[in-house]
Amino acid sequence: MESFIIEGGHPLKGTITPQGAKNEALEVICASLLTSEPVLIKNIPDILDVNNLIKLLIDMGVKVEKKAPGEFLFQAEYLNLDYLESDEFVKKCSSLRGSVLMIGPLLGRYGKATVAKPGGDKIGRRRLDTHFLGFHYLGATFERVDGRDVYEIKADKLRGTYMLLDEASVTGTANIIMAAVMAEGTTTIYNAACEPYIQQLCKMLNSMGAKITGIASNLITIEGVRELHGTSHTTLPDMIEVGSFIGMAAMVGDGVRIKNVSRQNLGIIPDAFRRLGITIQEEGDDIIIPRHDHYEIDSFIDGSIMTLADAPWPGLTPDLLSVLIVVATQARGSVLFHQKMFESRLFFVDKLIDMGAQIILCDPHRAVVVGHDHTKTLRAGRMSSPDIRAGIALLIAALSANGTSRINNIAQIDRGYENIELRLNALGAKITRVK
């Protein structure tokens, strides 16, 4: 197990470029399974979750060629379908959350898929009911395999239909879209997720010959086609990494430029930081965070305490609440955070409280942060990363703290952030990776 040793108190200054979007990369890589022709994907982040997915595709028989850093050619001409039913495949899927996105393409192209309970962040229940309901609407059947804790999903022929999803699940929407693109007839998905990464997936599939309309809305219509062909696709910058860098620059920055952020795809993220008093300047497709000696939390028009809550797109992504909480610890004023989607994601605030943050954890979903206004610096500490986003939040806290901190279990951070210590050290941070 590797750890980070972080010497706090060093200001960050300079320019940093966000990596390719993790969540989009997982979706579009899995979409390459829908065709036997080559699919070229650019701007793929070099992170643990994505690399493990690529290794899994190679094990399945997909030809993968690395053309350049972050640029891969995938060709799923021949798959080892026997391997997809093996215990080894099931075991690998159970340790990788992104593997769930292979179900839709496999079901759509081959009429069957094996599902294991996926791994990933320990942030509460992340049910797959929406995926299963969508597949059921399309005509698939499910059978639990006794003794293996897996499900087999089968369909002689998927048929398009109307469906109203029980929740706007991002991975659920992506999976159902990928299953439906070659279904017979027309599929209509209402209450679909409409995140930029879903939009990107739909645009890529259309470039492969799919017929998808309603992109960027929560009502998606898919006219089934007989087959898809190859294409070339470039992923967006990772909006969560952009938000993480905004938080770092606000807390410990001395002027940081974040380049090529695709501002039109950041949604409400910049405004969420502005509500905490953070100044965000825009220049072309870059954003600049100046040095902040003080920043003050807004209140609502009636003077009541500011509340920041996650919501499906175009609302605030839950992946950034951890970062926003850390930033709020040094603001002037108080703010209530309401994490609605996952019941365990706020438990990491105990670590911030140990570092001296003034946080009241009201229940598993709500926390009130009383800002220090830089009158009291966080203390260095020893902690462990419970998930990707809590891990980066703890790293930001350690960068701002007095003394030297240690963060264990940084494989969780590596799952979502590419070479993070090297990139931050280039801005002036003092982070060392140790065994």
Side-chain angles (χ1 to χ4, degrees), residues 44 50 56 138 155 172 271 275 280 355 380 388 406 414 424 431:
I44 293 178
V50 171
L56 184 57
L138 292 171
D271 286 337
R275 287 186 167 189
I280 299 177
M355 297 175 76
I388 301 174
R406 183 186 184 103
D414 290 336
L424 294 182
I431 306 172

Side-chain angles (χ1 to χ4, degrees), residues 97-148:
R97 178 75 190 176
S99 65
V100 73
L101 287 161
M102 295 191 299
I103 304 172
L106 291 174
L107 185 62
R109 184 176 172 191
Y110 294 100
K112 63 179 181 178
T114 303
V115 184
K117 183 179 179 181
D121 290 329
K122 307 304 181 185
I123 55 176
R125 292 184 296 273
R126 303 178 76 176
R127 59 189 182 87
L128 299 179
D129 298 57
T130 302
H131 306 239
F132 289 170
L133 286 169
F135 298 146
H136 174 71
Y137 287 135
L138 292 171
T141 59
F142 303 83
E143 182 178 337
R144 188 178 186 278
V145 180
D146 292 333
R148 295 184 65 201

Side-chain angles (χ1 to χ4, degrees), residues 63 72 87 92 100 107 115 117 128-129 138 161 212 231 239 267 333 341 353 375 389 392 411 414-415:
K63 295 177 183 177
F72 289 81
D87 290 338
K92 289 183 177 180
V100 73
L107 185 62
V115 184
K117 183 179 179 181
L128 299 179
D129 298 57
L138 292 171
T161 186
I212 306 172
T231 191
M239 71 168 83
M341 296 189 187
I353 294 171
T375 59
R389 308 310 172 187
I392 202 69
D414 290 336
R415 287 178 49 219

Side-chain angles (χ1 to χ4, degrees), residues 1-8 251 322 326 329 347-357 359 377-413 431-432 434:
M1 181 182 293
E2 292 184 318
S3 303
F4 280 150
I5 307 297
I6 306 104
E7 186 179 307
M251 284 279 283
S322 302
V326 172
T329 64
F347 289 161
F348 87 102
V349 303
D350 286 347
K351 306 298 182 184
L352 298 179
I353 294 171
D354 290 341
M355 297 175 76
I359 303 175
T377 305
L378 297 178
R379 299 185 296 268
R382 182 166 184 152
M383 58 207 93
S384 181
S385 174
D387 65 75
I388 301 174
R389 308 310 172 187
I392 202 69
L394 293 174
L395 179 59
I396 296 171
L399 289 170
S400 72
N402 277 330
T404 300
S405 299
R406 183 186 184 103
I407 302 178
N408 297 324
N409 194 30
I410 60 170
Q412 287 285 0
I413 301 175
I431 306 172
T432 304
V434 299

Side-chain angles (χ1 to χ4, degrees), residues 201-255:
L201 172 66
C202 291
K203 291 174 184 176
M204 173 179 162
L205 291 172
N206 279 350
S207 73
M208 296 169 69
K211 296 181 179 178
I212 306 172
T213 57
I215 298 172
S217 77
N218 68 347
L219 182 62
I220 293 177
T221 302
I222 304 163
E223 184 182 338
V225 297
R226 300 193 65 160
E227 62 181 7
L228 299 179
H229 53 73
T231 191
S232 177
H233 178 80
T234 302
T235 68
L236 292 174
D238 195 305
M239 71 168 83
I240 312 303
E241 190 171 73
V242 172
S244 301
F245 291 155
I246 294 173
M248 291 179 191
M251 284 279 283
V252 293
D254 190 18

Side-chain angles (χ1 to χ4, degrees), residues 254-266:
D254 190 18
V256 174
R257 177 187 290 266
I258 309 171
K259 286 190 66 66
N260 302 327
V261 299
S262 187
R263 286 198 294 116
Q264 71 272 24
N265 288 301
L266 292 179

Side-chain angles (χ1 to χ4, degrees), residues 130 133 137 162-167 188-192 218:
T130 302
L133 286 169
Y137 287 135
Y162 170 86
M163 63 182 78
L164 173 61
L165 302 186
D166 61 332
E167 66 172 348
T188 303
I189 309 172
Y190 196 21
N191 196 29
N218 68 347

